[in-house]
Amino acid sequence: MNSLGLALAIVGAACAALFAGIGSAKGVGLVGEAAAGVVSVDPNKFSKVLILQLLPGTQGLYGLLTAILLLSRIGVIGGNAAALTVSQGIMFLAASLPIAIVGLFSGIAQGRAAAAGVGIVAKKPEHSSKGVIMAAMVETYAILALLISILLIYNISI
Amino acid sequence: MSSTEYASAVAAVKAMESSLLTHSDMEQLINARTVSELKAIAGSKNAEASTLEDVWEMIRSYAPDSRELTILLYKNDFHDLKAGLKAMFSGRDADEYYIYPSNIESGILKKLLSSKEFDSLPAYMAETAAQAYDLLTRTMDGQLSDSLIDSSALAAIQRDSDSFGGAFMQKYAQLTTVCADIKTAYRCALMGKPRQFMEIAVCGSRELDKESLIRAAMGGVESLMAFLESTSYKDAAAILKESPAQFEKWCDDVIMEHAESARMQAFGVEPLAAYYIAKEAELKNLRIITVCQECGADRETVMERMRKLYV
């Protein structure tokens, strides 16, 4: 039963990295497409669109961070895995869900917002910072989810 | 297809939009004192650097699926059909009458028409080509044949925009049809054309019923105006009553206003279609300015004819 608890916690770490990573990949990919469209017409705008393309990439990093913290907390990274009960395993799995789910959707949503911001860079490059700000607003929710996931991970007693 | 599939194409088009002529550019062109000065200003702004054909090729190369956009070229395709058929009957070469861009390469169209392989033409025009050929063979009435092709073009635009176009293209089809139908009905009313002719020439749409429009036009210009005033196109009736040239401008402007609705969209096929419409209007404005300059028309005359700009 102990190994099931550990397995559930590892599934949680995998979910955090996996779903947040998917969200970022989709978001970065979408902005990349839009950015490539602009750069194909005006290569001088590369640096401005690159900033927008980087924005949806953070969710993947938050997922990775959560996964590493979780694996570290349960001793997997140190090579001394804790013997977790099923309920502890479920708690760790639940702790990873905020960043996993919010990371997935916010990554996609931020990608859409940033791709729309690429349109601002294309037409009015002097207002490109507004596009960055609008896309960055989505980031708030990914940060909140990351915060909750970390708080949960560090407050589950082993 | 998901609208985000067009992210790259829309971004590229938005970058290209920044090179469209603005109101102040147009002012400068209108204020040119000579044709050579006008050409110099247009050249400095790269106004004639790309033809509509170049724009079309560019849009098509960026769009992941350009099927819906091909509807924008139907009017050119049907124009080419008219030119091709007339050239066939008069034994002349239609090359200089073809309009570009089009969905059918002119060489292929010429070959298919000369071999009477109408079925090999695109589905939206195959039947019309056969009918127009038959009509010309029987009557040698070029005007009637042209009217048949024109109304079939409108019907094809409406049918295909309903079948595989989105809301933007459907509205474009509706506006195009209504404008063309009002112009046709007005001319028919002025010239006292018989019902039989109007039944071929008027296309009809959901907004303006074909039968009602024909009945109104049969009663003369006053009756037509009274009918239009009872529809949502009463503004159009007032403008048409004032000046047919102003009505032509109104038609282009309502389509441009519709195109403007896509300007704020970040995804989807609509901004691509809108950009094509914008470029079409820009080139039309340049032609108007050039012709007015060549004729020595005054500034007021030019301003009256200038089409609405996209940017």
Side-chain angles (χ1 to χ4, degrees):
Chain A
M1 287 303 279
N2 285 353
S3 60
L4 181 60
L6 184 64
L8 285 168
I10 291 172
V11 167
C15 283
L18 184 73
F19 291 113
I22 291 172
S24 273
K26 282 178 103 72
V28 171
L30 179 63
V31 189
E33 277 183 51
V38 172
V39 172
S40 68
V41 177
D42 185 357
N44 295 326
K45 289 178 177 144
F46 174 71
S47 55
K48 285 190 171 172
V49 291
L50 189 65
I51 297 167
L52 283 161
Q53 196 188 358
L54 289 173
L55 285 175
T58 50
Q59 281 80 352
L61 293 176
Y62 298 159
L64 176 73
L65 177 67
T66 307
I68 290 172
L69 290 176
L70 197 155
L71 292 174
S72 163
R73 179 89 170 87
I74 60 175
V76 170
I77 284 181
N80 186 23
L84 300 176
T85 63
V86 174
S87 66
Q88 283 172 324
I90 290 171
M91 280 192 271
F92 277 114
L93 174 60
S96 71
L97 290 182
I99 191 58
I101 295 169
V102 177
L104 172 67
F105 290 107
S106 70
I108 296 168
Q110 197 171 30
R112 284 184 70 98
V118 168
I120 301 178
V121 176
K123 284 180 82 171
K124 297 189 189 300
E126 67 276 16
H127 293 288
S128 59
S129 56
K130 289 170 185 161
V132 174
I133 291 168
M134 284 186 273
M137 300 293 273
V138 186
E139 192 76 15
T140 314
Y141 303 96
I143 293 170
L144 293 178
L146 172 69
L147 188 64
I148 293 301
S149 283
I150 292 174
L151 285 172
L152 288 172
I153 288 167
Y154 277 100
N155 286 287
I156 296 167
S157 57
I158 301 177
Chain B
M1 176 169 277
S2 158
S3 65
T4 52
E5 296 284 325
Y6 289 89
S8 169
V10 173
V13 157
K14 290 210 182 291
M16 289 189 274
E17 276 174 15
S18 57
S19 63
L20 284 172
L21 295 178
T22 62
H23 287 280
S24 66
D25 294 332
M26 285 294 174
E27 276 285 324
Q28 268 185 279
L29 290 165
I30 293 167
N31 290 334
R33 281 162 296 181
T34 60
V35 176
S36 53
E37 191 183 330
L38 171 68
K39 285 197 188 319
I41 298 171
S44 71
K45 297 187 182 305
N46 278 329
E48 290 165 320
S50 56
T51 63
L52 208 51
E53 207 178 355
D54 297 332
V55 171
W56 172 253
E57 281 308 318
M58 202 141 53
I59 289 174
R60 209 172 58 161
S61 67
Y62 280 115
D65 178 5
S66 58
R67 190 177 179 217
E68 186 177 345
L69 293 168
T70 60
I71 295 172
L72 293 168
L73 301 190
Y74 279 15
K75 55 185 179 185
N76 291 1
D77 296 341
F78 280 86
H79 166 89
D80 290 351
L81 175 64
K82 283 193 282 190
L85 282 173
K86 280 183 182 169
M88 222 170 100
F89 277 85
S90 60
R92 290 166 70 177
D93 193 358
D95 279 353
E96 60 183 300
Y97 304 110
Y98 287 133
I99 292 181
Y100 301 97
S102 61
N103 290 313
I104 318 153
E105 208 259 305
S106 59
I108 294 171
L109 178 66
K110 202 153 69 173
K111 185 173 158 279
L112 292 175
L113 290 180
S114 60
S115 58
K116 299 179 190 62
E117 291 175 71
F118 303 124
D119 287 345
S120 301
L121 286 166
Y124 59 84
M125 69 192 302
E127 197 185 332
T128 307
Q131 283 174 347
Y133 176 79
D134 179 54
L135 196 65
L136 274 173
T137 313
R138 282 189 291 107
T139 63
M140 288 304 281
D141 185 342
Q143 192 187 29
L144 189 62
S145 155
D146 281 0
S147 300
L148 169 76
I149 294 173
D150 286 340
S151 65
S152 301
L154 298 171
I157 291 171
Q158 284 193 88
R159 191 177 53 241
D160 285 356
S161 62
D162 282 343
S163 143
F164 54 82
F168 179 88
M169 203 54 85
Q170 285 165 12
K171 178 82 177 166
Y172 167 82
Q174 178 217 310
L175 291 171
T176 306
T177 309
V178 164
C179 289
D181 271 351
I182 294 175
K183 275 186 257 184
T184 306
Y186 179 72
R187 286 180 195 141
C188 287
L190 269 183
M191 294 161 74
K193 286 282 184 188
R195 169 178 268 277
Q196 199 185 358
F197 181 90
M198 286 195 226
E199 273 172 2
I200 290 174
V202 175
C203 174
S205 59
R206 280 187 289 271
E207 291 273 311
L208 282 183
D209 171 58
K210 180 176 179 173
E211 182 52 35
S212 309
L213 196 58
I214 292 175
R215 208 178 310 124
M218 289 287 292
V221 173
E222 284 306 314
S223 151
L224 177 66
M225 294 302 169
F227 167 70
L228 290 175
E229 275 161 12
S230 69
T231 67
S232 54
Y233 292 93
K234 62 179 176 193
D235 294 352
I239 294 166
L240 182 58
K241 214 185 269 185
E242 206 177 295
S243 152
Q246 279 302 302
F247 179 71
E248 290 277 353
K249 175 180 153 49
W250 180 86
C251 292
D252 288 340
D253 288 353
V254 286
I255 289 174
M256 182 54 77
E257 275 165 25
H258 173 54
E260 277 178 348
S261 68
R263 205 171 58 182
M264 306 299 172
Q265 277 184 241
F267 306 107
V269 74
E270 295 83 357
L272 309 190
Y275 180 70
Y276 179 82
I277 294 168
K279 195 69 194 176
E280 207 174 22
E282 180 184 286
L283 293 173
K284 187 180 259 187
N285 274 335
L286 280 174
R287 276 199 303 273
I288 291 170
I289 297 171
T290 308
V291 171
C292 286
Q293 179 69 260
E294 282 168 353
C295 300
D298 58 21
R299 186 185 153 81
E300 201 182 323
T301 311
V302 186
M303 292 305 286
E304 268 175 16
R305 282 160 178 73
M306 290 298 288
R307 270 48 176 174
K308 201 172 167 57
L309 292 177
Y310 186 63
V311 289

